[in-house]
Amino acid sequence: MAVQYYSRTEIAGIRRAGQIVMAILEELRQAVRPGITTAALDALAVRALKRHGATSNFRGYTPVKGIMPFPGVICSSVNEAIVHGIPGTYALREGDILSIDFGAVVDGWHGDSAITVPVGTVTPEAQRLLDVTQEALHLGIAAARGGNRVMDISRAIQTYVEGEGFSLIRRYTGHGIGRALHEDPTVPNYVDPKMANPLLRPGMVMCIEPMVSAGRPGTRELADRWTVVTADGSLAAHFEHTVAITSGDPDVLTAHSDGPLATSRSTSTSPSAGKP
Ligand code: MG
Ligand code: MG
């Protein structure tokens, strides 16, 4: 599939989905505490989606034939789980870290974002992993400017994370998003000279999502065929935003409109935005 370029009106649609994703992720963050099960967090998200008139782009997702369709509306990945954890009976414990990946569809437009949340008090090393992964996302977003290339995002993330002594998961990547949850281009979290490296142009919308291991980068899939864990059992973290490329600052469609990642979208003019 070719890279899609979205008009300003279309990006406004993706933003509506993104803002609902952000609001529900905030609700989930506030609900995280020792004792709550990941299934209860999923149920909270199901109710919130309904309240917002949105649907899930995660539940029922089947990447390959023969795998059970994903049963949750959130992915809940605890400690050494990196991504794609299935919500269930596990009750969170003090000191866990929980990655929540969440998406929503509104009027056919997709949003996708992820956070990793400490459960109660976590070790300083776990907190540093969360801080580094979130900062890596911010640095990746800062590189997501029209005229740069996809690997500029990858390089910004990789240079910082490896400089902090952590590893980037290579098997899973960011992706384009818009009319579908996963579109081109692939947005890796490391530089690979063999991979496509498209120019970033206004109208492209992509999910930037560093996945970081406190140990080695290798991964393993659990018997449920979904949950991905670090092969060496190290803690892992994951942060993600849906970002539109403009001719100026990147426009974070899943950010709080008044938060630190808010852009000057109300004042910025990007006459070249839209289908080239
Ligand atoms: Mg996601
Ligand atoms: Mg994603």
Side-chain angles (χ1 to χ4, degrees), residues 7 47 112:
S7 71
R47 292 192 299 274
D112 183 14

Side-chain angles (χ1 to χ4, degrees), residues 58 75 100-103 111-114 175 181-182 207 209 238 240:
F58 286 18
C75 296
I100 308 173
D101 193 347
F102 178 66
D112 183 14
S113 183
H175 50 91
L181 175 59
H182 295 124
C207 289
E209 48 179 315
H238 179 208
E240 174 179 23

Side-chain angles (χ1 to χ4, degrees), residues 1-4 6 175-177 182-187 198 204-206:
M1 185 177 61
V3 169
Q4 305 293 305
Y6 291 109
H175 50 91
I177 186 169
H182 295 124
E183 299 183 347
D184 278 341
T186 296
V187 185
M204 290 168 75
V205 181
M206 59 193 63

Side-chain angles (χ1 to χ4, degrees), residues 173-213:
T173 66
H175 50 91
I177 186 169
R179 283 193 190 87
L181 175 59
H182 295 124
E183 299 183 347
D184 278 341
T186 296
V187 185
N189 295 304
Y190 59 95
V191 175
D192 183 345
K194 294 189 296 294
M195 286 181 75
N197 186 17
L199 190 63
L200 300 177
R201 303 177 67 181
M204 290 168 75
V205 181
M206 59 193 63
C207 289
I208 301 174
E209 48 179 315
M211 290 154 251
V212 176
S213 160

Side-chain angles (χ1 to χ4, degrees), residues 104-219:
V105 190
V106 179
D107 300 330
W109 298 110
H110 290 252
D112 183 14
S113 183
I115 54 176
T116 303
V117 183
V119 181
T121 305
V122 301
T123 65
E125 181 70 351
Q127 187 59 53
R128 193 170 77 84
L129 176 68
L130 305 194
D131 294 344
V132 165
T133 308
Q134 186 164 32
E135 178 63 11
L137 171 59
H138 294 171
L139 293 170
I141 291 170
R145 303 181 69 86
N148 279 357
R149 289 184 178 270
V150 163
M151 290 297 162
D152 292 311
I153 300 172
S154 316
R155 186 178 302 102
I157 292 171
Q158 182 178 20
T159 303
Y160 173 67
V161 169
E162 292 182 350
E164 292 293 321
F166 292 143
S167 304
L168 286 153
I169 303 302
R170 294 177 171 243
R171 174 134 193 195
Y172 304 88
T173 66
H175 50 91
I177 186 169
R179 283 193 190 87
L181 175 59
H182 295 124
E183 299 183 347
D184 278 341
T186 296
V187 185
N189 295 304
Y190 59 95
V191 175
D192 183 345
K194 294 189 296 294
M195 286 181 75
N197 186 17
L199 190 63
L200 300 177
R201 303 177 67 181
M204 290 168 75
V205 181
M206 59 193 63
C207 289
I208 301 174
E209 48 179 315
M211 290 154 251
V212 176
S213 160
R216 306 272 307 148
T219 64

